[in-house]
C-alpha cells in the first residue's frame, strides 16, 4: 500500500484487439480493479460511457468503455492512443483543425477503406445519448446520427453544448499535438479558455461586452478629441474674420435701416394722404347727409300746398277786380296821357333849372379845383424838397461785397478739394477692401486645399488620419518637429506632374510620418503603433543624406534633351528631411518624368533604369551576364493624383503667414483710412458752415442794395408826379381865364323864359288830368275793397314763394356742397391710391424679416412725436450717405457667408460634442456596470484556481501561483488607472522550480519542457474543482517530466480525479513508472494494437505471472 491507502497497480484492465477477428478478452484483475466499471447513474451528465470506432485511422474496430472518474489510457507509441483522443474530438463535432493532424475528415478513414465511423455514448444524467459520425472518403463527407436517427451538425453542436462539452477548450481537451500550444498560449487566450472551462459563459460575454464598450469609449474619446481640435482650429480661423464681420454687420444694419426708411417714407406719405382722404370722406359723408336732409324735407310740400290754396283764392278775386278794372283803365289812360304830358313838361322844367344851376355853379367848381390842385402841388413839392437818395452803394459796400464773393469762392474751392480728397480716400478704401478680400480668398484657398488633402488621406487610410490627429495634439512629446504624412508635407510645383510624382513615390510612402531623430521615432511607434494599435508607417530621417548631397546618374540637362521635364525631385517642394526620405526610399532624384512621349532609344542608351513618359512607367532590368541586354516592362499609371495636391510645405506656411500679416496691415490701413474719412467729414462740415455764413452775409448786402434802390426809385416817381400836377394846374387856370361874366347872365335870361312857358302848359294839363282822375278815383274806389284782400293774399303768396325759393336754394346749396365734397374726395382718393401703390411697390420687395423690422420701427417711432414724410426723406438721405461711406470698406458677402458657415459648423460641432459626451457617459456607465459584474467574480475564480495551484506546487516542493493580469491601452482619463484594455487581460501562471528562485511567468522560453508540462497539468488540475465540463482529456502530458515530478503529478491527478462528484478524466501516456499511485475509482485502459502483436494473447496467464512475480 502507498500513502492514502491506495493500491498499486499490478496489472491493467481490458484489452481491445483491433485485428480482423475483433476478439475481446476479459482479463482477470485484482479485487479493487473490479470496481472500475461503474453503473450508468455514476456517470456525470456529458461524460463518455462508451466509444466505438470502425475503420478509423489505425483501427478496424474498437470498443472502449471508460469509467466515470479517472481513466488512464496506456500503450506503446504508435498503438493508437491519440487516435482515441481524435475520435472523441471528431465524434463530438469538432473540426479537424483541433487535432493538428489532417485537414480533411476523409483522411481519418483507415487506409484501404472507403467508410469509417465514430460512435460515442454520452451520459445525460437520466439516461444516455448516442452520437454517431459516419465518414465517407469519397467526397470528403460525413453524416450524423443521434440515437440512430439522422441529424444535422447543428443539432449535434446543440446537444453537446447542452451537456457543457468544450472540446475546443485546451483547459478541457488537451490532445498530444496541442500540449506545446497550451504552453505557448498567451495569457489573454488562457483567460478566455479558463472562463469557458469553468462554465462561466456569462463572464466571457461580459468580457466581450467590456471589450466592445471600451472600443466604443475609445472611439468616442478619439472623436471627441478630434472634434475639439477641429472646433478650436475653426474657431481660430473664424476669429480672423470677426473684424470684417463687424464691418459687414454695421453695413447690414445701415442697409437694413435704409430699407426700413425707404419703406417708411412712402408709408408716412401715404399716412398723410390717407388722413386727408379720411377728412374728405368725412366731409362728403356730412355733405351727403345734409343734401339728403334738404332733399327729403317736408317744408317744401307744405309750402306748395299753401301756395296752391292762395293762388286759387287770388284767381277768384282777380276776376272780380278785372271787371271793375276795365272801367278804371279807361279813366287812368286819359289821366296817364295828361300825366305823361305833365311829366314831359316837368322834365323840361327840370332840365332848364339844372342848366341854370349848372351855369351858376360851373365857375365855382373851377375855382375849387384850382385851389385843390394848388394845395396838392404844394404838398408834393414839400415832399420832394429832400435830397435824392443815392441809387448805388458806396465804395466800402462794394469792397465788402467783393470780399464776401472772394471768401465764397475760396470756400467753394476748398469744398471741391475736399470732395476730390473724399473720392481719393474712397478709392483707397475700395482698393484696400479689394486687397483684403483678394488675400483672404488666397488664405481660404490654402485652407480649402489643406482640408481636401486631409479628407483624401482619411478616405485612403483611416489609421494615418487618426495618427495625424494624435500627433497634432501631442507635439510637445517630441524633441524635434515630427512631419505629418508625406502627402501633406510635399507640394507639387506643377500640378500636371502630380499623378506622375505619386506613381513614383507610391501610396505607402505618401502615408508615412517622418521623424528627424531616432528618439522621436521610438516615442511615435510606442504611442501610435504599440499602444493605440494603429497600422501606420513611420521612418526616421536621421543619418540619411540630404537631397543636396545626392547626384543622379545622368545630369538633368541630358534627360531634358530627351523630352523629360526633369527628375521627380525637381517637381517637389518639401522640408529637407522629407525629401531625404523620398530620395532614400523611392529614388526620386534618379527617376525622370515627362508629360509626353520621349526618345526611348536614347533613354535606353543613357541606361535609364526607370522613368515615366506619356502616362506609362518604364522599368529596365539588365542581365548580369552575357550581353547585359535590358528587359523593359511597362505599366500604365493613374491619370489623376489621389493624395498629392498642394501640401503644407514651408513655402505654403510662409505664404499663409505672409498673407495673414498683409491682411493685418491692410486692415490697419483701412482703419487709418476710415479715421481720415471721419476727419475729412468734420473738416467738410466746418467749411460748409463757413460757406453758409458767407452766403448769409452776401444775402444781407444784396437786401440792403435792393432797399436803397427802391428808395431812390420812389423819390424819382414822386418828382415826376409833382410835375404832372403842376401841368394840370396851369391848364385849369388858363381855361378859367377864357370864360366871361356876360355869357353867364345871357344864359340865365334865356333859361328863365323857357321856365315860364313850361309852367303855363303844365297848369292846363293838370286841369284836364284832374277831371279824368276823378272818374278814375271812383273806379279805383270800387276796386280798393277787393284789392286789399288780394294784396294780402299776394303778400302771403310772395312770402310762401320766397320761403320756397329759400328751401330750394338750400337743397341746391347742399347738392353743390355734396358735389364739391365728392370731387374733393375723388381727388383725395386718387392721391391715396397712388400713394398706396407706391407703398406696395416699395414694401412688396421686402422679405418677411424686413416687414417685421418696418413694423417694429413704426411701433418704436409711434411712441414719440410722429415724423412727417419730409423729415423721413431727410433721414433717408443721411442714411444713404452713411451707407456709401460704409461700403468703402470692401468687405464682401462671401466673407460673411464663410463666417456664418463656420459659425454653423461650430454650432453643429458643439452639438455633436455634447452628443458625443452624452454617448461617452452612457458607454462608461454601461462599461462600469459590466466591469462590476465581471471583475469581482473573475477575480474570485482566479483566486480559487491560484489557491489550488499554489497548494499543488507546495506538494511538489515548488512555488506557483495564478494571477489575473490587467492591461491598459494607454488611453485614460485624468488620475485614472490604465487597466481598461480588457481584450488583453489575461491569466498569468507564475512558477519557481528551484530554491531561492523568484516566481517567473510561465512561457515557452524560460522553463524547460518538463517544467512546462508540470505547470500545465497542475493548472488543469487546479481547474478540476471549478470545471463545469463533464470530462477532461490530457494526452502525453508527462513527456519531458523527470521521475520525481511525474510521480508527484500523477499522485495529484489521482487525488483530484478520483473523488466523488469530480469530472471524468482521461490521461493518455505511452509510458508509466512502476509503483504509481492507484485508486479504486481509476480505470486503466491498455492499448495493444499493431502488426507486432501476436495473433493470440492470454491475458489471464499474463496477469497471473505478473502477480506471482510481485510476491
Amino acid at each position: 500500500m502507498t500513502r492514502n491507502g491506495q493500491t498499486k497497480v499490478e496489472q491493467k484492465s481490458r484489452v481491445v484487439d483491433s485485428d480482423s477477428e475483433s476478439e475481446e478478452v476479459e482479463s482477470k484483475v485484482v479485487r479493487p480493479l473490479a470496481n472500475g466499471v461503474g453503473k450508468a447513474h455514476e456517470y456525470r451528465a456529458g461524460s463518455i460511457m462508451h466509444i466505438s470506432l470502425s475503420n478509423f485511422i489505425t483501427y478496424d474496430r474498437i470498443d472502449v468503455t471508460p469509467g466515470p472518474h479517472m481513466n488512464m489510457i496506456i500503450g506503446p507509441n504508435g498503438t493508437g492512443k491519440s487516435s482515441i483522443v481524435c475520435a472523441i474530438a471528431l465524434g463530438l463535432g469538432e473540426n479537424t483543425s483541433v487535432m493538428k493532424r489532417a485537414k480533411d475528415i476523409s483522411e481519418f478513414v483507415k487506409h484501404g477503406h472507403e467508410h469509417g465511423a465514430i460512435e460515442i455514448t454520452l451520459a445525460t444524467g437520466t439516461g444516455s445519448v448516442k452520437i454517431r459520425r459516419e465518414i465517407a472518403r469519397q467526397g470528403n463527407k460525413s453524416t450524423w446520427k443521434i440515437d440512430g436517427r439522422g441529424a444535422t451538425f447543428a443539432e449535434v453542436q446543440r446537444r453537446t453544448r447542452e451537456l457543457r462539452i468544450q472540446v475546443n477548450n485546451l483547459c478541457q481537451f488537451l490532445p498530444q499535438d496541442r500540449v506545446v500550444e497550451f504552453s505557448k498560449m498567451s495569457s489573454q487566450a488562457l483567460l478566455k479558455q479558463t472562463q469557458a472551462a469553468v462554465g462561466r459563459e456569462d463572464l466571457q460575454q461580459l468580457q466581450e461586452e467590456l471589450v466592445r464598450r471600451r472600443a466604443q469609449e475609445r472611439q468616442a474619446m478619439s472623436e471627441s478629441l478630434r472634434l475639439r481640435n477641429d472646433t478650436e482650429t475653426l474657431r481660430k480661423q473664424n476669429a480672423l474674420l470677426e473684424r470684417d464681420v463687424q464691418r459687414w454687420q454695421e453695413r447690414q444694419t445701415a442697409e437694413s435701416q435704409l430699407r426700413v426708411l425707404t419703406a417708411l417714407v412712402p408709408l408716412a406719405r401715404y399716412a398723410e394722404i390717407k388722413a386727408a382722404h379720411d377728412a374728405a370722406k368725412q366731409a362728403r359723408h356730412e355733405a351727403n347727409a345734409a343734401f339728403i336732409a334738404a332733399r327729403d324735407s317736408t317744408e317744401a310740400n307744405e309750402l306748395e300746398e299753401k301756395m296752391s290754396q292762395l293762388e286759387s283764392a287770388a284767381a277768384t278775386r282777380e276776376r272780380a277786380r278785372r271787371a271793375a278794372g276795365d272801367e278804371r283803365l279807361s279813366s287812368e289812360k286819359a289821366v296817364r296821357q295828361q300825366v305823361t304830358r305833365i311829366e314831359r313838361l316837368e322834365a323840361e322844367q327840370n332840365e332848364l333849372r339844372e342848366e341854370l344851376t349848372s351855369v351858376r355853379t360851373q365857375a365855382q367848381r373851377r375855382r375849387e379845383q384850382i385851389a385843390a390842385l394848388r394845395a396838392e402841388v404844394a404838398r408834393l413839392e414839400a415832399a420832394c424838397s429832400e435830397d435824392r437818395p443815392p441809387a448805388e452803394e458806396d465804395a466800402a459796400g462794394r469792397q465788402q461785397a467783393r470780399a464776401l464773393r472772394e471768401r465764397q469762392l475760396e470756400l467753394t474751392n476748398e469744398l471741391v478739394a475736399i470732395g476730390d480728397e473724399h473720392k481719393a480716400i474712397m478709392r483707397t478704401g475700395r482698393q484696400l477692401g479689394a486687397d483684403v478680400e483678394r488675400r483672404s480668398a488666397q488664405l481660404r484657398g490654402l485652407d480649402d486645399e489643406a482640408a481636401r488633402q486631409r479628407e483624401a488621406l482619411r478616405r485612403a487610410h483611416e489609421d494615418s488620419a487618426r495618427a495625424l490627429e494624435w500627433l497634432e495634439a501631442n507635439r510637445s512629446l517630441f524633441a524635434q518637429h515630427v512631419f505629418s504624412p508625406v502627402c501633406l508635407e510635399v507640394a507639387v510645383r506643377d500640378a500636371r506632374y502630380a499623378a506622375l510624382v505619386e506613381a513614383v513615390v507610391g501610396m505607402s510612402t505618401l502615408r508615412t510620418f517622418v521623424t528627424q531623430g531616432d528618439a522621436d521615432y521610438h516615442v511615435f511607434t510606442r504611442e501610435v503603433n504599440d499602444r493605440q494599435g494603429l497600422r501606420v508607417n513611420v521612418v526616421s530621417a536621421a543619418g540619411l543624406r540630404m537631397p543636396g548631397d545626392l547626384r543622379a546618374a545622368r545630369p538633368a540637362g541630358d534627360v531634358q534633351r530627351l523630352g523629360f521635364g526633369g527628375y521627380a525631385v525637381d517637381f517637389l517642394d518639401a522640408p529637407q528631411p522629407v525629401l531625404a526620405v523620398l530620395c532614400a526610399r523611392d529614388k526620386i532624384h534618379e527617376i525622370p518624368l515627362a508629360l509626353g512621349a520621349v526618345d526611348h532609344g536614347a533613354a535606353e542608351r543613357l541606361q535609364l533604369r526607370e522613368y515615366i513618359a506619356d502616362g506609362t512607367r518604364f522599368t529596365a532590368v539588365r542581365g548580369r551576364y552575357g550581353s547585359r541586354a535590358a528587359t523593359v516592362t511597362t505599366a500604365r499609371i493613374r491619370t489623376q493624383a489621389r493624395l498629392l495636391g498642394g501640401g503644407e510645405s514651408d513655402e505654403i506656411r510662409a505664404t499663409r503667414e505672409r498673407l495673414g500679416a498683409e491682411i493685418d496691415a491692410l486692415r490697419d490701413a483701412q482703419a487709418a483710412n476710415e479715421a481720415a474719412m471721419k476727419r475729412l467729414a468734420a473738416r467738410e462740415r466746418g467749411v460748409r458752415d463757413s460757406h453758409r455764413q458767407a452766403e448769409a452775409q452776401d444775402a444781407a448786402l444784396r437786401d440792403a442794395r435792393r432797399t436803397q434802390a427802391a428808395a431812390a426809385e420812389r423819390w424819382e416817381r414822386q418828382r415826376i408826379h409833382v410835375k404832372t400836377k403842376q401841368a394840370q394846374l396851369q391848364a385849369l387856370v388858363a381855361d378859367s381865364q377864357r370864360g366871361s361874366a356876360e355869357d353867364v347872365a345871357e344864359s340865365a335870361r334865356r333859361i328863365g323864359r323857357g321856365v315860364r312857358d313850361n309852367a303855363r302848359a303844365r297848369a292846363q294839363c293838370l286841369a284836364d288830368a284832374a277831371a279824368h282822375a276823378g272818374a278814375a278815383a271812383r273806379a279805383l274806389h270800387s276796386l280798393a275793397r277787393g284789392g286789399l284782400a288780394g294784396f294780402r293774399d299776394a303778400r302771403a303768396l310772395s312770402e310762401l314763394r320766397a320761403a320756397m325759393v329759400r328751401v330750394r336754394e338750400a337743397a341746391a346749396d347742399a347738392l353743390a356742397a355734396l358735389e364739391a365734397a365728392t370731387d374733393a374726395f375723388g381727388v383725395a382718393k386718387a392721391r391715396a391710391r397712388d400713394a398706396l401703390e407706391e407703398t406696395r411697390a416699395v414694401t412688396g420687395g421686402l422679405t418677411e424679416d424686413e416687414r417685421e423690422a418696418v413694423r417694429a420701427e413704426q411701433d418704436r417711432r409711434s411712441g414719440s412725436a410722429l415724423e412727417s414724410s419730409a423729415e423721413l426723406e431727410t433721414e433717408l438721405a443721411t442714411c444713404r450717405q452713411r451707407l456709401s461711406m460704409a461700403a468703402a470698406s470692401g468687405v464682401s458677402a462671401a466673407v460673411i457667408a464663410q463666417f456664418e458657415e463656420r459659425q454653423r459648423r461650430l454650432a453643429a460641432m458643439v452639438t455633436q460634442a455634447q452628443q458625443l459626451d452624452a454617448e461617452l457617459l452612457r458607454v462608461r456607465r454601461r462599461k462600469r456596470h459590466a466591469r462590476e459584474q465581471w471583475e469581482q467574480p473573475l477575480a474570485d475564480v482566479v483566486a480559487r484556481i491560484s489557491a489550488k495551484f499554489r497548494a499543488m506546487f507546495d506538494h511538489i516542493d515548488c512555488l506557483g501561483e495564478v494571477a489575473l493580469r490587467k492591461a491598459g491601452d494607454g488611453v485614460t482619463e485624468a488620475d485614472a488607472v490604465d487597466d481598461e484594455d480588457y481584450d488583453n487581460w489575461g491569466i498569468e501562471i507564475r512558477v519557481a522550480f528551484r530554491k531561492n528562485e523568484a516566481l517567473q511567468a510561465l512561457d515557452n522560453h524560460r522553463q524547460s519542457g518538463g517544467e512546462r508540462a508540470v505547470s500545465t497539468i497542475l493548472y488543469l488540475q487546479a481547474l478540476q474543482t471549478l470545471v463545469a465540463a463533464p470530462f477532461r482529456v490530457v494526452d502525453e502530458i508527462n513527456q519531458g517530466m523527470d521521475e520525481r515530478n511525474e510521480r508527484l503529478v500523477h499522485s495529484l491527478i489521482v487525488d483530484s480525479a478520483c473523488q466523488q462528484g469530480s469530472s471524468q478524466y482521461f490521461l493518455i501516456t505511452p509510458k508509466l513508472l512502476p509503483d504509481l499511485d492507484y485508486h479504486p475509482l481509476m480505470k486503466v485502459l491498455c492499448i495493444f494494437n499493431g502488426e507486432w502483436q501476436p495473433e493470440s494473447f492470454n491475458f489471464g496467464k499474463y496477469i497471473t505471472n505478473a502477480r506471482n512475480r510481485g510476491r
Side-chain angles (χ1 to χ4, degrees):
M1 297 294 291
T2 62
R3 62 186 178 86
N4 297 330
Q6 295 177 341
T7 305
K8 293 184 178 179
V9 176
E10 293 184 357
Q11 186 63 35
K12 279 57 180 180
S13 169
R14 186 176 294 276
V15 177
V16 179
D17 192 337
S18 63
D19 290 339
S20 59
E21 298 113 1
S22 299
E23 178 184 2
E24 178 179 279
V25 181
E26 290 288 343
S27 67
K28 295 180 181 180
V29 296
V30 294
R31 185 163 44 85
L33 187 61
N35 297 329
V37 179
K39 306 300 181 182
H41 66 274
E42 295 179 349
Y43 287 86
R44 189 175 181 178
S47 299
I48 299 175
M49 298 177 66
H50 187 80
I51 303 172
S52 178
L53 307 177
S54 62
N55 299 327
F56 186 79
I57 308 180
T58 61
Y59 294 106
D60 292 328
R61 178 174 176 80
I62 182 174
D63 291 286
V64 180
T65 305
H69 299 289
M70 177 75 174
N71 293 277
M72 291 186 65
I73 302 177
I74 61 176
N77 288 326
T79 58
K81 300 183 299 300
S82 296
S83 297
I84 296 177
V85 177
C86 291
I88 294 173
L90 299 177
L92 293 178
E94 278 307 314
N95 194 281
T96 57
S97 61
V98 173
M99 305 309 302
K100 304 292 184 180
R101 282 196 170 192
K103 178 180 179 182
D104 297 329
I105 188 66
S106 61
E107 297 182 28
F108 290 87
V109 178
K110 186 176 182 180
H111 182 69
H113 296 269
E114 292 299 321
H115 297 85
I118 306 170
E119 184 175 277
I120 299 177
T121 304
L122 300 173
T124 61
T126 58
S128 64
V129 61
K130 289 184 178 180
I131 298 177
R132 180 177 179 84
R133 184 173 189 176
E134 297 179 349
I135 308 170
R137 182 183 298 276
Q138 185 176 4
N140 191 35
K141 297 178 181 179
S142 61
T143 58
W144 297 88
K145 291 183 180 180
I146 298 177
D147 290 334
R149 178 183 56 83
T152 63
F153 177 61
E155 290 178 322
V156 173
Q157 287 186 314
R158 179 177 57 79
R159 293 301 297 272
T160 57
R161 281 197 302 270
E162 291 173 353
L163 295 173
R164 307 177 74 86
I165 296 173
Q166 305 174 23
V167 180
N168 62 342
N169 190 333
L170 293 182
C171 294
Q172 179 185 353
F173 194 89
L174 190 63
Q176 175 184 353
D177 300 317
R178 300 187 70 185
V179 172
V180 177
E181 183 179 337
F182 185 91
S183 64
K184 293 181 179 179
M185 187 185 302
S186 66
S187 60
Q188 296 87 353
L190 183 59
L191 173 61
K192 292 180 173 64
Q193 296 282 354
T194 300
Q195 289 179 124
V198 299
R200 294 300 301 270
E201 291 85 356
D202 58 328
L203 294 181
Q204 288 181 290
Q205 294 169 359
L206 286 170
Q207 184 182 13
E208 292 171 358
E209 181 181 356
L210 280 170
V211 171
R212 187 171 62 257
R213 297 296 183 196
R214 181 57 176 170
Q216 293 173 353
E217 180 184 19
R218 287 188 56 184
Q219 183 179 3
M221 293 171 66
S222 175
E223 287 295 323
S224 180
L225 177 62
R226 181 186 62 78
L227 195 59
R228 285 197 298 271
N229 292 337
D230 291 347
T231 302
E232 184 61 24
T233 300
L234 195 60
R235 186 176 286 113
K236 289 179 180 179
Q237 292 175 351
N238 235 20
L240 299 175
L241 299 178
E242 285 186 356
R243 191 187 304 178
D244 289 342
V245 170
Q246 183 178 2
R247 290 193 181 94
W248 178 261
Q249 289 174 345
E250 292 174 356
R251 178 178 175 181
Q252 290 293 98
T253 301
E255 290 180 349
S256 177
Q257 186 179 7
L258 178 66
R259 288 191 291 271
V260 169
L261 289 174
T262 303
L264 285 178
V265 168
L267 285 173
R269 189 181 299 117
Y270 173 70
E272 295 171 356
I273 295 174
K274 183 65 167 54
H277 166 270
D278 293 343
K281 184 177 181 180
Q282 181 63 28
R284 187 189 68 166
H285 177 73
E286 294 174 354
N288 187 50
F291 169 72
I292 292 173
R295 184 192 63 190
D296 298 339
S297 175
T298 59
E299 183 180 1
N301 296 331
E302 294 174 354
L303 290 174
E304 288 181 355
E305 186 176 356
K306 290 180 180 179
M307 287 172 59
S308 178
Q309 294 174 358
L310 285 175
E311 287 175 352
S312 177
T316 302
R317 293 189 184 90
E318 180 64 24
R319 286 192 295 272
R321 189 182 63 79
R322 286 178 182 174
D326 292 336
E327 183 180 356
R328 181 181 65 82
L329 289 176
S330 59
S331 298
E332 285 181 352
K333 182 177 181 181
V335 172
R336 282 197 298 275
Q337 291 176 351
Q338 294 302 321
V339 169
T340 300
R341 184 177 179 189
I342 291 171
E343 290 174 352
R344 187 173 62 252
L345 290 173
E346 285 179 351
E348 294 175 356
Q349 180 72 11
N350 290 335
E351 290 177 358
L352 291 172
R353 288 175 179 171
E354 289 176 359
E355 184 179 359
L356 180 61
T357 302
S358 175
V359 170
R360 291 175 178 173
T361 60
Q362 185 174 9
Q364 182 62 30
R365 282 198 304 274
R366 187 177 291 112
R367 285 193 298 272
E368 292 175 354
Q369 289 176 352
I370 291 172
L373 280 174
R374 284 175 177 167
E376 185 174 1
V377 168
R379 181 180 61 78
L380 292 174
E381 287 177 348
C384 292
S385 62
E386 300 175 358
D387 294 335
R388 178 183 179 185
E392 297 180 355
E393 61 185 350
D394 56 5
R398 287 192 297 273
Q399 181 64 29
Q400 184 180 5
R402 186 163 52 254
L404 281 175
R405 285 193 297 273
E406 291 175 355
R407 175 61 176 165
Q408 283 181 298
L409 181 60
E410 291 176 358
L411 293 174
T412 301
N413 292 335
E414 188 171 359
L415 285 175
V416 172
I418 289 173
D420 295 339
E421 189 174 353
H422 178 271
K423 292 177 181 177
I425 293 176
M426 291 285 285
R427 284 194 300 271
T428 302
R430 286 192 295 270
Q431 182 63 38
L432 289 173
D435 291 343
V436 169
E437 175 58 26
R438 184 165 57 255
R439 284 163 176 78
S440 298
Q442 294 174 2
L443 195 58
R444 289 194 299 274
L446 293 179
D447 293 338
D448 293 343
E449 178 63 24
R452 283 194 296 271
Q453 284 187 290
R454 285 173 177 264
E455 184 59 29
L457 176 64
R458 183 177 298 279
R459 290 195 301 269
H461 199 251
E462 177 67 23
D463 282 4
S464 296
R466 292 173 59 188
L468 176 60
E469 293 172 356
W470 178 87
L471 172 63
E472 292 177 342
N474 298 277
R475 288 194 178 276
S476 59
L477 299 178
F478 300 97
Q480 294 177 284
H481 179 75
V482 176
F483 295 99
S484 302
V486 171
C487 64
L488 301 181
E489 294 290 350
V490 302
V492 181
R493 296 175 181 174
D494 190 338
R496 296 175 301 168
Y497 287 86
L500 281 65
V501 173
E502 190 170 284
V504 172
V505 176
M507 298 299 292
S508 177
T509 303
L510 290 175
R511 300 195 304 264
T512 299
F513 293 81
V514 178
T515 66
Q516 300 184 65
D518 293 337
D520 287 343
Y521 170 84
H522 293 304
V523 171
F524 188 95
T525 55
R526 183 176 61 253
E527 294 292 335
V528 176
N529 295 82
D530 298 341
R531 293 189 178 178
Q532 299 185 35
L534 299 179
R535 302 178 63 185
V536 298
N537 301 329
V538 58
V539 64
S540 173
L544 297 180
R545 298 175 63 187
M546 292 295 108
D549 300 331
L550 299 173
R551 293 291 182 271
R554 295 288 182 269
D558 292 350
V559 297
Q560 288 174 351
R561 281 191 291 273
L562 301 182
F564 292 99
Y567 289 103
V569 69
D570 299 331
F571 299 99
L572 293 180
D573 284 327
Q576 288 298 304
V578 176
L579 289 177
V581 170
L582 294 177
C583 291
R585 293 185 56 155
D586 298 292
K587 307 300 181 185
I588 61 173
H589 63 294
E590 295 181 354
I591 301 177
L593 306 178
L595 295 175
V598 298
D599 187 346
H600 298 289
E604 184 177 355
R605 287 191 295 275
L606 282 179
Q607 296 187 355
L608 295 179
R609 290 183 294 178
E610 188 174 357
Y611 60 90
I612 295 178
D614 199 18
T616 303
R617 185 170 188 159
F618 297 85
T619 305
V621 179
R622 297 186 176 275
R624 301 178 61 183
Y625 306 100
S627 63
R628 296 176 55 84
T631 300
V632 179
T633 60
T634 62
R636 297 294 295 176
I637 65 172
R638 287 178 174 270
T639 58
Q640 296 293 330
R642 295 173 59 189
L643 293 181
L644 284 184
E648 186 69 5
S649 64
D650 291 339
E651 182 179 355
I652 292 179
R653 281 192 288 272
T655 301
R656 187 189 302 279
E657 294 174 359
R658 176 180 58 78
L659 289 174
E662 290 179 356
I663 289 174
D664 291 338
L666 289 171
R667 285 173 175 162
D668 292 339
Q670 281 183 323
N673 196 61
E674 291 176 359
M677 178 71 74
K678 292 179 180 178
R679 291 194 300 271
L680 188 63
R683 177 184 165 197
E684 182 181 9
R685 286 194 296 272
V687 172
R688 289 193 181 279
D689 291 341
S690 299
H691 192 273
R692 282 194 292 271
Q693 292 176 1
E695 286 181 341
Q697 292 175 0
D698 186 55
L701 287 176
R702 286 197 300 271
D703 291 341
R705 287 197 299 270
R706 283 195 295 271
T707 301
Q708 186 176 6
E713 184 178 354
R714 285 195 302 274
W715 187 88
E716 185 65 28
R717 284 199 303 271
Q718 196 171 15
R719 184 179 64 80
I720 294 172
H721 188 52
V722 168
K723 291 181 178 180
T724 302
K725 292 297 182 181
Q726 288 175 345
Q728 291 178 354
L729 179 59
Q730 293 174 358
L732 189 60
V733 170
D735 187 34
S736 175
Q737 290 175 356
R738 282 194 298 272
S740 63
E742 292 81 3
D743 294 333
V744 174
E746 180 59 30
S747 296
R749 286 192 293 271
R750 178 179 55 77
I751 292 170
R753 286 193 297 271
V755 169
R756 287 192 294 275
D757 293 337
N758 184 275
R760 286 192 292 272
R762 277 190 301 123
Q764 183 60 43
C765 289
L766 285 172
D768 293 338
H772 293 294
R778 287 189 295 275
L780 183 60
H781 180 71
S782 62
L783 295 173
R785 289 187 298 274
L788 183 61
F791 176 74
R792 287 195 298 270
D793 293 339
R795 187 175 60 182
L797 183 60
S798 177
E799 292 175 355
L800 289 174
R801 287 175 178 167
M804 177 62 74
V805 169
R806 287 195 301 274
V807 169
R808 290 175 177 171
E809 288 178 350
D813 292 341
L815 179 60
L818 175 61
E819 291 174 349
T822 301
D823 293 340
F825 174 71
V827 173
K829 184 175 181 180
R831 292 186 62 203
R833 186 184 300 108
D834 294 340
L836 180 60
E837 290 298 325
E838 181 185 4
T839 303
R840 287 175 176 171
V842 173
T843 58
L846 298 179
T847 64
E848 187 59 33
D849 292 340
E850 292 172 343
R851 293 173 186 271
E852 186 63 29
V854 171
R855 285 193 289 269
E857 185 67 16
Q858 284 180 315
D859 295 340
R860 186 184 68 81
R861 293 174 181 262
S862 64
S864 58
L866 295 178
E867 296 173 298
S868 66
S869 59
E871 293 172 333
L872 288 174
E873 287 177 349
T874 302
E875 186 176 353
L876 177 62
T878 304
C879 182
R880 284 198 177 105
Q881 183 178 6
R882 188 168 63 252
L883 182 60
S884 176
M885 296 177 64
S889 63
V891 180
S892 67
V895 175
I896 307 305
Q898 182 182 10
F899 179 82
E900 292 176 349
E901 174 61 25
R902 287 179 177 174
Q903 287 293 90
R904 286 191 292 271
R905 288 172 58 193
L906 282 172
M909 286 179 175
V910 171
T911 302
Q912 187 178 357
Q914 294 172 350
Q915 294 173 350
L916 279 176
D917 292 342
E919 178 63 22
L920 190 58
L921 288 176
R922 286 194 296 271
V923 170
R924 285 174 175 168
R925 185 169 58 252
R926 293 169 181 169
K927 180 197 69 177
R928 185 167 55 252
H929 178 68
R931 180 166 179 170
E932 291 170 354
Q933 291 182 312
W934 178 66
E935 184 175 12
Q936 190 56 48
L938 178 61
D940 293 341
V941 169
V942 174
R944 293 173 62 186
I945 296 173
S946 182
K948 193 71 175 178
F949 188 76
R950 186 183 300 110
M952 291 179 180
F953 260 74
D954 288 343
H955 183 74
I956 63 174
D957 295 329
C958 297
L959 298 177
E961 68 176 10
V962 178
L964 179 63
R965 187 177 66 83
K966 301 179 181 181
D969 53 11
V971 181
T972 61
E973 301 179 74
D975 302 328
V977 179
D978 185 13
D979 63 350
E980 296 200 83
D981 189 2
Y982 300 106
D983 199 31
N984 284 320
W985 279 36
I987 288 180
E988 188 171 75
I989 301 174
R990 301 168 185 166
V991 295
F993 286 91
R994 283 164 287 280
K995 292 182 179 180
N996 301 324
E997 183 182 48
L999 289 170
Q1000 294 182 333
L1002 179 67
D1003 60 26
N1004 203 33
H1005 306 288
R1006 290 190 180 95
Q1007 290 82 18
S1008 66
E1011 290 172 341
R1012 293 197 300 272
V1014 170
S1015 302
T1016 299
I1017 193 64
L1018 292 186
Y1019 182 79
L1020 296 179
Q1021 288 304 118
L1023 285 176
Q1024 185 71 20
T1025 57
L1026 300 176
V1027 166
F1031 64 87
R1032 309 272 297 283
V1033 176
V1034 178
D1035 188 6
E1036 297 191 13
I1037 192 64
N1038 57 342
Q1039 295 298 319
M1041 291 185 188
D1042 58 24
E1043 180 179 346
R1044 175 181 177 276
N1045 285 335
E1046 186 174 352
R1047 289 184 181 277
L1048 292 174
V1049 168
H1050 179 80
S1051 177
L1052 290 173
I1053 292 175
V1054 171
D1055 285 344
S1056 62
C1058 294
Q1059 297 179 7
Q1060 293 294 338
S1062 65
S1063 299
Q1064 191 179 39
Y1065 204 103
F1066 291 87
L1067 180 62
I1068 295 92
T1069 179
K1071 68 183 182 69
L1072 280 177
L1073 296 174
D1075 298 327
L1076 292 175
D1077 289 344
Y1078 176 75
H1079 192 279
L1081 295 180
M1082 289 173 56
K1083 190 169 187 178
V1084 182
L1085 304 174
C1086 298
I1087 304 297
F1088 292 96
N1089 181 40
E1091 296 179 355
W1092 49 266
Q1093 291 291 327
E1095 294 183 1
S1096 63
F1097 189 82
N1098 191 333
F1099 287 99
K1101 184 178 179 180
Y1102 173 82
I1103 294 173
T1104 300
N1105 292 335
R1107 184 180 299 157
N1108 291 332
R1109 284 196 301 272
R1111 292 174 182 173

